[in-house]
Amino acid sequence: MNEETLDISQSARNKAVLNLNDVTVRFAGDSGDGMQLTGTQFTNTTALVGNDLSTLPDFPAEIRAPAGTTYGVSGFQLHFGSSDILTPGDTPDILIAMNPAALKTNLHDLKNGGTIIVNINSFDSKNLKLAGYNENPLENESLKGFNVVQVPLGQLTKTALENSGISSKEIERCKNFFALGMMYWLYSRPVEPTLKWIEQKFKNAPLIASANEKALKAGYYFGENTELFTTRYRVEPAVLPPGIYRNISGNEAVALGFITAAEKAGLPLFLGSYPITPASDILHELSKHKNFSVRTFQAEDEIAAITASIGAAFSGALAITTTSGPGVALKTEAIGLAVMTELPLVIVDVQRGGPSTGLPTKTEQSDLFQAMFGRNGEAPVAVVAASTPADCFNMALEASRIAVKYMVPVMYLSDGYLANGSEPWKIPDPDKIPAIEVKFSKEKEGFQPYSRDENLSRPWAIPGTPDLMHRIGGLEKANITGNVNYDPENHEYMVHLRAQKVKNIENDIPALEVTGDSDADLLIIGWGGTYGAITEAVNRVRSKGFKAAQAHFRYLNPFPKNTESVLKKYKYILCPELNMGQLARILRSEYLIDVQSFTKIQGLPFKSSEIEKKMYMILGGNNGRN
């Protein structure tokens, strides 16, 4: 939380208003405390007042974790400010802890001197024991160095709603809105957007709607009237390029990107999917848009989902399937079928921690090897990756374009951090988004199902086209005719041909862009959701007088054509990844260039300070100029 100026204006109770450049807030409590809802509402309101922002929802892996336990804690972190915000923040300035478990789980991340707002009604002997406390941390020295604000959230909510006509259990559930109202006051946010949301959300439950509204207002006025807060804060709107913005999560952006791609291609959109965390929200979002000729199919398993999508591609739809790492493993043979039949298909992999079921609600980048090599036989597919929640829209468009133009499966890599995180997104002008050209074969004269155009793409001949019947299936195809063929020479030729077709995509994608110092010795490279943390770290290091450059990969197979020439310019290359160094290994193998791997496998994204520290180790500095 960076202070800018002390404003001389006062609140109604003579409370100073402090202007801040940026703030990092974390809401934490039980899964049933509504922390994700609270964080989302605070985020949406913050976006409406014009701040730039980045979020990090943190879900427990247990669906029904016992209340009060540390492994049942749900968190939501939001970093917002008046300047460019790239990450959800390394360390929160303020923690709202709804119970002892939330305090214990999140305290180690809190900034020195930070503020803790605790719901003291939950700090009873039962909850303290469940959280693993031998004594009440509010009554000893364990919180020394923090600004601890003890608020009886439960009792205040109960008092505010004592005549609301709802049950005690329902009243208890409203305490998150009390906390939200308090935070709206503390950071000078309007309550009206959330009041409107409550009205719409609970229009069929007027008593619940009224109770939540009262709790929200009570929390706001508590902040105004209590003596616990002597200061409130204001964060001015960020200066963003002109346009219309909305707050968007990565999964929402993926869904809208594919809808847009289908419209620009003039094709119906088909999604075959089996629900899996953290990809399910794409299915949920697309199912709302049948008015755009979107067809969503929730299959009985992952195999049925992808094979249905392959059938949709064969029939002339823009076909996609969505999943996470375990689902990709189940889809593997069918991806090979899409490679063999050379049909346009996009496989969205929203990566999570593995192996096996692994960490369903946590982020990781551990599926790159699987995307690149995880099929039997030589079965290359194109691989792309989004870098921010908003970029998920752009790469959905790009994955669709590549799949259709090159008649090839495309693996689209997102991750849990991007999928659930959000940021302001400038809504593009639809007329400025290029059309995606589709060439269905219709002429029977000279038709051969495996003939090639200049890109080595085969014809897209959909069922029902007169006289264009042809064989389809997983057995090796003869060149040109597509007949089943077991000749050794033909097989080798087709293997090389399919690989060359993917390689040809390098002629149709942007060059690898390098930012930062042109004369730097150190290049930081990354892919996927590490973009924000890397960028922030590079900016900090350069601001302290060190020289560094940055390049981020959005195209992973093939790599951009200039990749080798870029990498060979630098003395040191550092590659932060949320895995054991998969991209670093691929680059070393491909270009015989030394790439230093920097890994983190904790189910959490990088903090920019972690990358910054590693950069100083390479450059020989200590948090500043030597």
Side-chain angles (χ1 to χ4, degrees), residues 538-562:
V538 170
N539 289 344
R540 288 179 186 174
V541 167
R542 295 181 66 214
S543 72
K544 294 177 181 178
F546 292 91
K547 292 185 177 181
Q550 175 188 357
H552 207 76
F553 288 90
R554 296 161 76 227
Y555 301 87
L556 294 157
N557 194 37
F559 290 120
K561 281 183 98 170
N562 66 328

Short mmCIF file of all heavy atoms in Angstrom, two decimals, residues 538-562:
data_model
loop_
_atom_site.label_atom_id
_atom_site.label_comp_id
_atom_site.label_asym_id
_atom_site.label_seq_id
_atom_site.Cartn_x
_atom_site.Cartn_y
_atom_site.Cartn_z
N VAL A 538 10.89 -7.33 -13.64
CA VAL A 538 11.80 -6.66 -14.57
C VAL A 538 11.72 -5.14 -14.40
O VAL A 538 12.75 -4.44 -14.38
CB VAL A 538 11.49 -7.07 -16.03
CG1 VAL A 538 12.25 -6.19 -17.02
CG2 VAL A 538 11.83 -8.54 -16.25
N ASN A 539 10.52 -4.62 -14.25
CA ASN A 539 10.35 -3.17 -14.07
C ASN A 539 11.04 -2.69 -12.78
O ASN A 539 11.69 -1.63 -12.76
CB ASN A 539 8.87 -2.81 -14.02
CG ASN A 539 8.19 -2.94 -15.37
OD1 ASN A 539 8.86 -3.02 -16.41
ND2 ASN A 539 6.88 -2.98 -15.39
N ARG A 540 10.92 -3.47 -11.71
CA ARG A 540 11.55 -3.09 -10.45
C ARG A 540 13.07 -3.09 -10.56
O ARG A 540 13.76 -2.17 -10.10
CB ARG A 540 11.13 -4.05 -9.34
CG ARG A 540 9.69 -3.91 -8.87
CD ARG A 540 9.42 -4.95 -7.79
NE ARG A 540 8.03 -4.98 -7.38
CZ ARG A 540 7.54 -5.87 -6.53
NH1 ARG A 540 8.34 -6.80 -6.01
NH2 ARG A 540 6.26 -5.85 -6.21
N VAL A 541 13.60 -4.15 -11.18
CA VAL A 541 15.05 -4.27 -11.31
C VAL A 541 15.61 -3.14 -12.16
O VAL A 541 16.64 -2.53 -11.83
CB VAL A 541 15.41 -5.65 -11.91
CG1 VAL A 541 16.87 -5.69 -12.35
CG2 VAL A 541 15.14 -6.76 -10.90
N ARG A 542 14.95 -2.83 -13.25
CA ARG A 542 15.41 -1.75 -14.13
C ARG A 542 15.32 -0.39 -13.44
O ARG A 542 16.17 0.49 -13.66
CB ARG A 542 14.60 -1.74 -15.43
CG ARG A 542 14.81 -2.99 -16.29
CD ARG A 542 13.99 -2.90 -17.57
NE ARG A 542 14.48 -1.83 -18.42
CZ ARG A 542 13.69 -1.08 -19.20
NH1 ARG A 542 12.39 -1.29 -19.22
NH2 ARG A 542 14.21 -0.14 -19.95
N SER A 543 14.30 -0.23 -12.60
CA SER A 543 14.16 1.05 -11.88
C SER A 543 15.29 1.28 -10.89
O SER A 543 15.52 2.41 -10.45
CB SER A 543 12.81 1.10 -11.15
OG SER A 543 12.80 0.23 -10.04
N LYS A 544 16.00 0.20 -10.52
CA LYS A 544 17.12 0.31 -9.57
C LYS A 544 18.48 0.35 -10.26
O LYS A 544 19.51 0.16 -9.63
CB LYS A 544 17.05 -0.84 -8.57
CG LYS A 544 15.82 -0.74 -7.67
CD LYS A 544 15.71 -1.92 -6.71
CE LYS A 544 14.46 -1.79 -5.85
NZ LYS A 544 14.27 -2.95 -4.94
N GLY A 545 18.44 0.57 -11.58
CA GLY A 545 19.69 0.79 -12.29
C GLY A 545 20.29 -0.41 -12.97
O GLY A 545 21.34 -0.31 -13.61
N PHE A 546 19.66 -1.58 -12.86
CA PHE A 546 20.16 -2.76 -13.54
C PHE A 546 19.54 -2.87 -14.93
O PHE A 546 18.45 -2.35 -15.18
CB PHE A 546 19.81 -4.03 -12.74
CG PHE A 546 20.54 -4.14 -11.44
CD1 PHE A 546 19.98 -3.63 -10.27
CD2 PHE A 546 21.77 -4.74 -11.36
CE1 PHE A 546 20.63 -3.72 -9.07
CE2 PHE A 546 22.45 -4.86 -10.16
CZ PHE A 546 21.88 -4.34 -9.00
N LYS A 547 20.23 -3.58 -15.81
CA LYS A 547 19.72 -3.75 -17.16
C LYS A 547 19.17 -5.16 -17.34
O LYS A 547 19.83 -6.15 -16.97
CB LYS A 547 20.82 -3.47 -18.19
CG LYS A 547 21.23 -2.00 -18.23
CD LYS A 547 22.23 -1.73 -19.33
CE LYS A 547 22.55 -0.23 -19.39
NZ LYS A 547 23.51 0.08 -20.48
N ALA A 548 17.98 -5.23 -17.91
CA ALA A 548 17.34 -6.53 -18.13
C ALA A 548 16.36 -6.40 -19.29
O ALA A 548 15.86 -5.31 -19.60
CB ALA A 548 16.61 -7.00 -16.87
N ALA A 549 16.09 -7.52 -19.92
CA ALA A 549 15.12 -7.58 -21.01
C ALA A 549 14.15 -8.73 -20.74
O ALA A 549 14.41 -9.61 -19.93
CB ALA A 549 15.82 -7.77 -22.35
N GLN A 550 13.03 -8.71 -21.46
CA GLN A 550 11.98 -9.69 -21.23
C GLN A 550 11.37 -10.14 -22.55
O GLN A 550 11.18 -9.34 -23.47
CB GLN A 550 10.88 -9.09 -20.34
CG GLN A 550 9.67 -9.98 -20.13
CD GLN A 550 8.54 -9.27 -19.40
OE1 GLN A 550 8.68 -8.12 -19.01
NE2 GLN A 550 7.43 -9.95 -19.22
N ALA A 551 11.05 -11.43 -22.65
CA ALA A 551 10.31 -11.97 -23.79
C ALA A 551 9.34 -13.02 -23.27
O ALA A 551 9.70 -13.83 -22.42
CB ALA A 551 11.26 -12.58 -24.82
N HIS A 552 8.12 -12.99 -23.79
CA HIS A 552 7.09 -13.92 -23.30
C HIS A 552 6.52 -14.71 -24.48
O HIS A 552 6.10 -14.14 -25.49
CB HIS A 552 5.98 -13.15 -22.59
CG HIS A 552 5.28 -13.96 -21.54
ND1 HIS A 552 5.84 -14.22 -20.32
CD2 HIS A 552 4.08 -14.59 -21.55
CE1 HIS A 552 5.01 -14.95 -19.59
NE2 HIS A 552 3.93 -15.21 -20.32
N PHE A 553 6.50 -16.03 -24.32
CA PHE A 553 6.03 -16.92 -25.39
C PHE A 553 4.52 -17.14 -25.31
O PHE A 553 4.01 -17.62 -24.29
CB PHE A 553 6.74 -18.28 -25.30
CG PHE A 553 8.17 -18.26 -25.71
CD1 PHE A 553 9.17 -18.02 -24.78
CD2 PHE A 553 8.53 -18.49 -27.03
CE1 PHE A 553 10.50 -18.00 -25.15
CE2 PHE A 553 9.86 -18.47 -27.42
CZ PHE A 553 10.85 -18.23 -26.49
N ARG A 554 3.82 -16.81 -26.40
CA ARG A 554 2.41 -17.14 -26.54
C ARG A 554 2.21 -18.25 -27.58
O ARG A 554 1.14 -18.85 -27.65
CB ARG A 554 1.62 -15.89 -26.92
CG ARG A 554 1.66 -14.81 -25.84
CD ARG A 554 1.30 -13.44 -26.37
NE ARG A 554 -0.12 -13.30 -26.59
CZ ARG A 554 -0.66 -12.80 -27.70
NH1 ARG A 554 0.13 -12.45 -28.71
NH2 ARG A 554 -1.95 -12.66 -27.81
N TYR A 555 3.25 -18.49 -28.35
CA TYR A 555 3.25 -19.58 -29.34
C TYR A 555 4.37 -20.54 -28.96
O TYR A 555 5.54 -20.16 -28.95
CB TYR A 555 3.47 -19.02 -30.75
CG TYR A 555 2.42 -18.02 -31.17
CD1 TYR A 555 2.56 -16.67 -30.87
CD2 TYR A 555 1.28 -18.43 -31.86
CE1 TYR A 555 1.59 -15.74 -31.25
CE2 TYR A 555 0.30 -17.51 -32.25
CZ TYR A 555 0.46 -16.18 -31.94
OH TYR A 555 -0.50 -15.27 -32.31
N LEU A 556 4.01 -21.78 -28.67
CA LEU A 556 4.96 -22.75 -28.13
C LEU A 556 5.25 -23.89 -29.09
O LEU A 556 6.25 -24.60 -28.95
CB LEU A 556 4.44 -23.28 -26.80
CG LEU A 556 4.38 -22.21 -25.70
CD1 LEU A 556 3.38 -22.58 -24.63
CD2 LEU A 556 5.76 -21.99 -25.09
N ASN A 557 4.38 -24.13 -30.03
CA ASN A 557 4.66 -25.08 -31.10
C ASN A 557 3.86 -24.67 -32.33
O ASN A 557 2.64 -24.82 -32.35
CB ASN A 557 4.30 -26.51 -30.71
CG ASN A 557 4.90 -27.53 -31.68
OD1 ASN A 557 6.01 -27.35 -32.16
ND2 ASN A 557 4.17 -28.59 -31.97
N PRO A 558 4.53 -24.15 -33.35
CA PRO A 558 5.97 -23.90 -33.37
C PRO A 558 6.31 -22.63 -32.61
O PRO A 558 5.46 -21.78 -32.36
CB PRO A 558 6.25 -23.74 -34.87
CG PRO A 558 4.99 -23.13 -35.40
CD PRO A 558 3.88 -23.77 -34.63
N PHE A 559 7.61 -22.49 -32.26
CA PHE A 559 8.08 -21.24 -31.69
C PHE A 559 8.14 -20.18 -32.80
O PHE A 559 8.25 -20.52 -33.99
CB PHE A 559 9.48 -21.42 -31.11
CG PHE A 559 9.53 -22.26 -29.86
CD1 PHE A 559 10.27 -23.43 -29.82
CD2 PHE A 559 8.84 -21.87 -28.73
CE1 PHE A 559 10.33 -24.21 -28.68
CE2 PHE A 559 8.88 -22.64 -27.57
CZ PHE A 559 9.62 -23.82 -27.54
N PRO A 560 8.09 -18.92 -32.44
CA PRO A 560 8.29 -17.86 -33.44
C PRO A 560 9.62 -18.05 -34.18
O PRO A 560 10.60 -18.55 -33.61
CB PRO A 560 8.28 -16.57 -32.61
CG PRO A 560 7.46 -16.92 -31.40
CD PRO A 560 7.77 -18.36 -31.10
N LYS A 561 9.67 -17.62 -35.43
CA LYS A 561 10.84 -17.87 -36.29
C LYS A 561 12.12 -17.24 -35.74
O LYS A 561 13.21 -17.76 -35.97
CB LYS A 561 10.58 -17.32 -37.70
CG LYS A 561 9.73 -18.20 -38.56
CD LYS A 561 9.58 -17.64 -39.96
CE LYS A 561 10.54 -18.28 -40.92
NZ LYS A 561 10.26 -17.92 -42.32
N ASN A 562 11.99 -16.15 -35.02
CA ASN A 562 13.19 -15.45 -34.55
C ASN A 562 13.65 -15.91 -33.17
O ASN A 562 14.52 -15.28 -32.56
CB ASN A 562 12.95 -13.94 -34.52
CG ASN A 562 11.90 -13.53 -33.50
OD1 ASN A 562 10.97 -14.29 -33.21
ND2 ASN A 562 12.05 -12.34 -32.95
#
